[in-house]
Amino acid sequence: MGKDGKKSKWPSGVISSLSTPYGRQKAADGLYEWLVQPVHASTLGVFRFLYGLVMCAQIFKWWLIFVRFEGTLYSLPYPGVGFVKPLHPTTGNIVLCICLIASLFVALGYFTRPSTCITFLTFAYLFHMCESLHNNHYILMCHVNFVGSFLNWGEWCSIDSMRKKNDSQNKVAKIPYWNLLLMQLLFTIPYLYGSFAKLNSDWLFRAEPVRMWMVHKEGWVLHQWWFPWFICWSGTLFDMTISFLLFWKKTRFLLAFPGAIMFNVSNKLIFNIGVFPYAMICSLVLFLDDDTPAIFWNSLKGMPPPIIPISKSDDPDNKKDMRKPSGWRGKVYKRFVLIFFSGFVIFHSLYPLRHFVLYKSNPSWTEEGHVGAWHMKLRSKHSWLYLTAEEMDGTETVLMPDYDPLLLRLQLKIVTAHPHALLLYVRRLNQVFEEAKRPLKTLKVKSCASLNANPAQELYIDSANLLDYMNNYERIGVTGIGKFLYGQKEAPLCDHLPNPYTREGKANTKAAFKQLYADANFFQTLIRDDSMGRSYQRLLHRSVDPKTGREKLEYGFVWNT
């Protein structure tokens, strides 16, 4: 940013010829100069403060997750992160407290970088611990926390900026432009890729699943025949254009800001999707002119607006020119900036599209490649399934997850609709059968699923033994189609399958679960918590310590993990 307060335009060196080493070097130099041009830190500082408060609100929403986990036997980590193990409730509550305090420190700008790193590590671990906690905005928050760990977003509106000994009243808080740009891009990516995901026939030409959801909502306008179509088409248009409208100053205040506020408020009112709308509204401050909050604050104090200096001679308080650090530190910093920025762009450009290359079917059907692809509010999958467990002695047991007393309701929704979660459930059941001294020979599944009110189809190949796949579905690019999964196009209709949910079937599967868990030495106790004024179930596993010979009790969801 120059003395006239305008950012430099994209350098010509970046678009020069890349066919020669000289051209590539010139392009890299031009890109680096553009990325490290100084901008005021005020917009990023205000955003950090607001975002830290949103993080605190999210932790409060999770405050009782370990109370709920005490009543379950299962944890369902995401594909590829099976190494994330469930935490003991005491440890988990400590991690929640650490995350809350670190988030508050981020908001206040107190030890900002270490606090951001701690927030990222603790929040990401809690989020990946069980897929039943899933929401797309948690993924975005993980990205924000990670990127924020590398930014100087504590330079303004922070305790850190006031604590600096070399601060003077005339010094202007500035950051390199790439700090601000990465945050701006992070909050436009969900919109843009969300619009790509909406370009499908169910959303555009059937208004599903919105039409299905509106039936259960209250409000005159929500029940009008045209309203789901309005939501689908206007939502697609909004997502497709809002990123560009935010970056273009001429449309920022006239269209982008009012549209983004209305869009996120309506999402909160209609779908009640947690803190996500608040985070997206707070992100709008990133698209103000970088010195707007500082100008406003200075006007309240009767001071002139800040001017960003572009060189050491313009800023006598600074010992260095931040654009051209000298020596080996400057070379390392330049490489870091170029590699980090390029890696960010490549990852966030390609990762949401991986299902087009690595997998073979609709990700809303198989869930393969769905996480992190920004497919938001695009699917409603109603399904049932039951498992047939054949033990080594030939005994067969029919188990319906719907009546598993040790499976949380949120976990049940994931297990019946997400193949990866079903395999984790199968792996856990196999452990329970082994603990009960009833080893399994095969475990097969019959299923029926309807995606977005389409005709019901079989999701799983009923002849496949799920025990063969329960430990081999963690790697990116490994598909289950043709092994134990049907793709949506080739999946047969399931009209011929009998309905397992008869009175006798329900009674039998409940009795089977009860006997299985008793044989495996699991039992539940009722805990009264006077501080919360409520009671809850605690699941424990009883075993004998081989070293001491004493009885040992473990929480069910951390047993044998």
Side-chain angles (χ1 to χ4, degrees):
M1 178 175 285
K3 295 180 180 180
D4 58 354
K6 297 181 180 180
K7 281 200 296 289
S8 304
K9 295 183 178 181
W10 183 271
S12 59
V14 175
I15 57 176
S16 63
S17 173
L18 300 178
S19 59
T20 64
Y22 173 76
R24 289 190 290 270
Q25 183 63 48
K26 185 178 179 182
D29 291 342
L31 176 61
Y32 175 71
E33 290 293 322
W34 182 68
L35 290 174
V36 300
Q37 60 182 305
V39 296
H40 202 280
S42 62
T43 51
L44 191 59
V46 171
F47 168 73
R48 187 212 69 252
F49 171 74
L50 297 174
Y51 174 75
L53 297 181
V54 171
M55 278 293 303
C56 291
Q58 180 57 54
I59 297 305
F60 279 121
K61 288 178 66 68
W62 279 0
W63 202 246
L64 298 179
I65 60 173
F66 287 97
V67 173
R68 294 198 294 268
F69 282 147
E70 285 186 33
T72 184
L73 177 60
Y74 302 92
S75 63
L76 309 169
Y78 288 83
V81 292
F83 57 86
V84 176
K85 304 300 181 183
L87 299 174
H88 187 280
T90 302
T91 306
N93 287 322
I94 292 173
V95 172
L96 276 170
C97 290
I98 293 173
C99 190
L100 176 63
I101 294 171
S103 299
L104 182 60
F105 278 16
V106 169
L108 298 176
Y110 187 56
F111 293 106
T112 309
R113 195 183 301 276
S115 298
T116 307
C117 293
I118 293 172
T119 300
F120 165 68
L121 293 173
T122 53
F123 184 85
Y125 197 98
L126 293 168
F127 166 66
H128 287 95
M129 195 171 61
C130 186
E131 197 172 350
S132 64
L133 299 175
H134 175 76
N135 208 318
N136 278 290
H137 68 262
Y138 300 156
I139 298 175
L140 177 61
M141 293 167 86
C142 287
H143 287 312
V144 172
N145 294 334
F146 174 75
V147 172
S149 300
F150 296 90
L151 306 185
N152 299 324
W153 62 346
E155 295 296 312
W156 200 83
C157 188
S158 67
I159 296 176
D160 285 347
S161 62
M162 295 186 291
R163 291 171 62 241
K164 288 182 178 179
K165 295 180 181 179
N166 61 344
D167 270 359
S168 66
Q169 189 174 2
N170 297 323
K171 184 178 178 181
V172 177
K174 59 183 180 179
I175 55 174
Y177 177 52
W178 67 271
N179 283 205
L180 178 61
L181 178 61
L182 289 188
M183 278 298 174
Q184 291 173 329
L185 292 175
L186 266 181
F187 281 90
T188 56
I189 285 169
Y191 289 130
L192 185 60
Y193 282 87
S195 71
F196 298 159
K198 288 179 172 66
L199 300 178
N200 67 80
S201 58
D202 282 347
W203 182 267
L204 293 178
F205 304 124
R206 297 178 60 238
E208 295 289 1
V210 178
R211 186 165 57 176
M212 193 175 3
W213 292 335
M214 291 303 107
V215 174
H216 306 289
K217 300 289 184 180
E218 296 182 0
W220 174 83
V221 71
L222 304 184
H223 291 169
Q224 301 305 303
W225 69 267
W226 50 265
F227 188 72
W229 299 92
F230 170 77
I231 289 292
C232 291
W233 282 85
S234 64
T236 304
L237 180 63
F238 172 84
D239 282 348
M240 195 170 291
T241 58
I242 186 63
S243 300
F244 307 101
L245 297 178
L246 284 170
F247 276 106
W248 193 21
K249 192 171 183 177
K250 292 183 178 180
T251 56
R252 187 179 300 157
F253 295 98
L254 180 64
L255 297 175
F257 280 12
I261 293 172
M262 291 177 59
F263 177 82
N264 285 289
V265 169
S266 63
N267 271 344
K268 180 63 179 178
L269 295 177
I270 297 175
F271 300 113
N272 191 25
I273 50 177
V275 302
F276 184 56
Y278 302 133
M280 299 307 285
I281 291 175
C282 290
S283 72
L284 296 179
V285 72
L286 294 169
F287 297 92
L288 297 171
D289 288 343
D290 53 273
D291 56 355
T292 298
I295 291 175
F296 175 75
W297 179 247
N298 283 5
S299 66
L300 293 179
K301 298 190 298 181
M303 297 175 58
I307 298 177
I308 298 292
I310 60 173
S311 69
K312 186 165 58 177
S313 59
D314 297 322
D315 186 14
D317 284 335
N318 275 338
K319 298 179 181 179
K320 298 179 181 179
D321 179 358
M322 66 178 297
R323 292 183 51 167
K324 296 182 181 297
S326 59
W328 65 270
R329 295 178 185 272
K331 294 180 180 179
V332 171
Y333 177 73
K334 178 179 180 179
R335 291 177 181 176
F336 166 76
V337 170
L338 293 176
I339 293 173
F340 190 78
F341 181 79
S342 302
F344 175 94
V345 171
I346 293 171
F347 175 82
H348 287 284
S349 298
L350 300 181
Y351 187 73
L353 305 176
R354 68 194 185 281
H355 56 274
F356 288 113
V357 178
L358 301 179
Y359 306 107
K360 303 178 182 179
S361 185
N362 181 359
S364 294
W365 175 255
T366 64
E367 305 296 327
E368 294 179 337
H370 189 278
V371 174
W374 309 115
H375 287 218
M376 297 169 287
K377 292 295 180 183
L378 296 182
R379 75 196 192 288
S380 180
K381 192 186 299 180
H382 296 277
S383 58
W384 59 257
L385 61 85
Y386 65 91
L387 301 164
T388 302
E390 182 185 0
E391 301 174 32
M392 289 297 182
D393 61 4
T395 303
E396 289 193 353
T397 306
V398 174
L399 301 171
M400 295 183 236
D402 298 68
Y403 303 104
D404 187 339
L406 305 186
L407 191 65
L408 299 178
R409 185 170 62 178
L410 287 175
Q411 292 176 329
L412 172 63
K413 182 178 178 181
I414 301 297
V415 165
T416 55
H418 296 194
H420 170 259
L422 177 64
L423 290 185
L424 293 176
Y425 179 74
V426 165
R427 184 166 63 185
R428 193 63 161 165
L429 274 181
N430 185 55
Q431 292 177 339
V432 175
F433 271 97
E434 290 181 352
E435 181 69 11
K437 304 297 189 291
R438 296 165 53 182
L440 292 177
K441 181 179 180 181
T442 63
L443 192 58
K444 299 181 179 181
V445 58
K446 286 191 179 293
S447 63
C448 187
S450 173
L451 176 65
N452 295 340
N454 282 298
Q457 299 170 273
E458 293 185 53
L459 178 58
Y460 299 97
I461 300 173
D462 57 11
S463 61
N465 181 8
L466 298 184
L467 299 179
D468 295 336
Y469 303 102
M470 62 182 184
N471 295 315
N472 300 308
Y473 196 57
E474 289 285 320
R475 299 182 299 275
I476 292 177
V478 176
T479 180
I481 295 179
K483 301 172 184 176
F484 67 94
L485 274 179
Y486 285 115
Q488 187 177 18
K489 292 182 179 180
E490 60 268 20
L493 298 176
C494 53
D495 295 339
H496 64 284
L497 293 179
N499 182 3
Y501 294 98
T502 62
R503 179 177 299 179
E504 181 181 4
K506 295 176 184 178
N508 289 341
T509 197
K510 288 180 179 179
F513 274 122
K514 183 177 180 180
Q515 185 60 51
L516 173 63
Y517 292 137
D519 291 345
N521 299 314
F522 290 98
F523 66 97
Q524 288 181 307
T525 59
L526 186 65
I527 304 298
R528 174 69 183 178
D529 191 334
D530 293 329
S531 64
M532 295 189 300
R534 55 173 291 182
S535 300
Y536 62 93
Q537 293 284 349
R538 175 178 291 171
L539 175 68
L540 298 172
H541 177 259
R542 182 188 292 113
S543 61
V544 176
D545 191 320
K547 295 182 179 179
T548 64
R550 296 179 180 179
E551 183 180 79
K552 182 174 68 171
L553 297 179
E554 292 180 278
Y555 287 99
F557 76 102
V558 298
W559 165 78
N560 200 18
T561 56

